[in-house]
Structure formats: C-alpha cells, structure tokens
Amino acid sequence: MSASELTTYDRAANTGGYSEAGIYRLIATILKSIELKSPRVLDISCGTGQLREFIAPYVAIYEGADLVRYPELPAEVKFNKVDLDTGRVPVEDGTFDAVLSVETIEHLENPRAFTRELVRITKPNGWIVITTPNQLSILSKLTLLLKNHFTYFGASLYPGHLTALIELDLRRIASECGLLDIRIIYGYAERIVLTSRSFPDWMVRLFPRSCSRTVAIAARKPGDSPKR
C-alpha cells in the first residue's frame, strides 16, 4: 500500500465510522421534507451505518459506500467499497433516488469532483444531500479571528479535515454541477464560546447560521429531457 493510500485509509478508519445523532436527525428531517416515494438511498462514507436507523421511515432500500467496511455495519446492508479521493463509486449511472453524504466532503481533496460523482450515480429528479461543519458559526468565526483557522480545521484535526467549505462554496458547487432546487439547511446546536454548553434550540431556530454546528445542502438532479 502506497503512502497516499495509507493516508486515505487511516483518515477513514480514524473517524470511528460514525457521526453525531444531531446530524443524523438533520438528515432525517431533510428526507422527510423531500417526500421521496420508496427511495433507494446510498449513504456515502456510511461507516457503521448508524444513519440507517434515523432515516428508516423514509427509505425503502439502504446501501452503504466507504473505504472501510466496519464490523458494526449490519451484514444485510449492501456495501460498495470506494476510495472517494481516487475512485468512482462502483455503481451504474442514475442508480439512487437519493445520495447522502454526512460529514464527508471536508475530508476529501477535491469536493467538486466528489459532487460530480454523486450527481452521476443519482437518478434524474433524485436528490443529493451533503453536510459539513458550519464555518459561519459564531464559534468558528472567532476561532478564525483568534487562531487563524476554522474551529474544525486546526492542527489536531489535520489531515482528517482537509477542505473547509462555507455556504457560498456549497451553492457554487451545486450550481456548477447543474443541480436544481438548492436548499441550505442549518442545524445541530454549536457550542457557546468559552463554555462547554451548546446553544438552546430556540436560538438555533432564530439564528441558524450563527448557532449551528452543521450546514447541509440539499439539491435535485434535473429530470430527463422531454422527447421531441
């Protein structure tokens, strides 16, 4: 295994294969709002598959993709092995009704190439949902001002976290990929500066960009062109 492959493998393995429940709940809320009919869904960087239980009411078929198949991933889940920095997801074009990427894009070298791959494997009129740390929170802006880096991109998190993206970047990437109905959703309370406590839910609702730890983008792939 080359040094670059080892680095990518380690980045995947060191995540532990899971994210946080607040982020999974955010994904579930987005899927509920989209109202897909009996969707086949791919969880990119699925890890241990914990997202599955949160989105079960809105999903007919759940599949996973990752560089590592974690032992905790249920045996019945179809697994697609992929190195998202160097390879294509081993599925045909237009396979899934929704492709979900939870806290993954910030780990990758090329977020635009990654998003194009998600578009490729999504069905016409299907949805792509991507989450990443929110760089526009009060905490992250103050960290940038005082420490010259965003909260989740300091030395202790490198090389796990490579690419810091803000809402404008996510919108630009989605537009460049031809996606439609672009929605930005903030959620999951950020930590209050100089404390170990998080913002209360009412503040997250009133000031989502400033008080959220996570930002999500949901966007739809265009449908098939009408026949002439």
Side-chain angles (χ1 to χ4, degrees):
M1 182 179 289
S2 71
S4 62
E5 288 173 332
L6 180 62
T7 300
T8 304
Y9 184 93
D10 287 346
R11 289 208 308 268
N14 289 341
T15 66
Y18 60 91
S19 191
E20 298 180 61
I23 301 174
Y24 294 148
R25 284 192 288 269
L26 178 63
I27 291 286
T29 299
I30 293 170
L31 283 184
K32 182 179 180 180
S33 70
I34 292 171
E35 296 184 337
L36 293 171
K37 304 298 182 183
S38 300
R40 181 181 180 186
V41 168
L42 181 67
D43 181 4
I44 292 284
S45 287
C46 61
T48 60
Q50 291 187 10
L51 175 62
R52 184 187 184 201
E53 64 179 280
F54 289 84
I55 64 174
Y58 317 111
V59 171
I61 301 173
Y62 171 92
E63 297 184 21
D66 212 322
L67 181 62
V68 180
R69 175 152 195 158
Y70 293 83
E72 298 88 347
L73 183 67
E76 69 272 16
V77 173
K78 183 177 179 181
F79 178 78
N80 303 277
K81 184 175 181 179
V82 60
D83 181 340
L84 294 171
D85 272 332
T86 62
R88 287 159 62 92
V89 181
V91 299
E92 296 180 357
D93 295 1
T95 297
F96 296 97
D97 299 286
V99 178
L100 314 175
S101 169
V102 181
E103 305 297 287
T104 297
I105 197 168
E106 68 273 10
H107 294 270
L108 303 179
E109 297 171 357
N110 192 333
R112 283 170 167 79
F114 171 65
T115 306
R116 288 194 294 270
E117 179 65 358
L118 302 192
V119 173
R120 180 188 71 80
I121 62 176
T122 302
K123 291 180 180 178
N125 286 315
W127 285 81
I128 293 166
V129 181
I130 297 170
T131 78
T132 193
N134 173 27
Q135 319 309 333
L136 301 181
S137 70
I138 294 172
L139 176 63
S140 197
K141 286 180 177 179
L142 281 176
T143 304
L144 180 62
L145 179 65
L146 298 175
K147 297 184 178 182
N148 295 318
H149 65 77
F150 291 118
T151 301
Y152 302 103
F153 289 85
S156 64
L157 291 171
Y158 184 83
H161 285 189
L162 294 175
T163 306
L165 300 169
I166 62 173
E167 174 184 328
L168 180 60
D169 298 314
L170 296 172
R171 288 187 181 277
R172 286 173 171 169
I173 292 170
S175 295
E176 291 164 9
C177 290
L179 297 174
L180 307 174
D181 299 334
I182 297 170
R183 310 176 186 180
I184 296 292
I185 307 100
Y186 288 92
Y188 182 36
E190 179 61 282
R191 179 168 57 84
I192 300 173
V193 178
L194 300 179
T195 77
S196 60
R197 296 181 292 111
S198 298
F199 286 105
D201 289 343
W202 67 267
M203 287 195 70
V204 177
R205 289 193 297 270
L206 284 177
F207 310 104
R209 181 181 289 146
S210 297
C211 300
S212 296
R213 182 185 182 278
T214 299
V215 58
I217 184 167
R220 181 176 60 83
K221 182 175 178 177
D224 291 324
S225 299
K227 296 180 179 180
R228 296 184 178 180

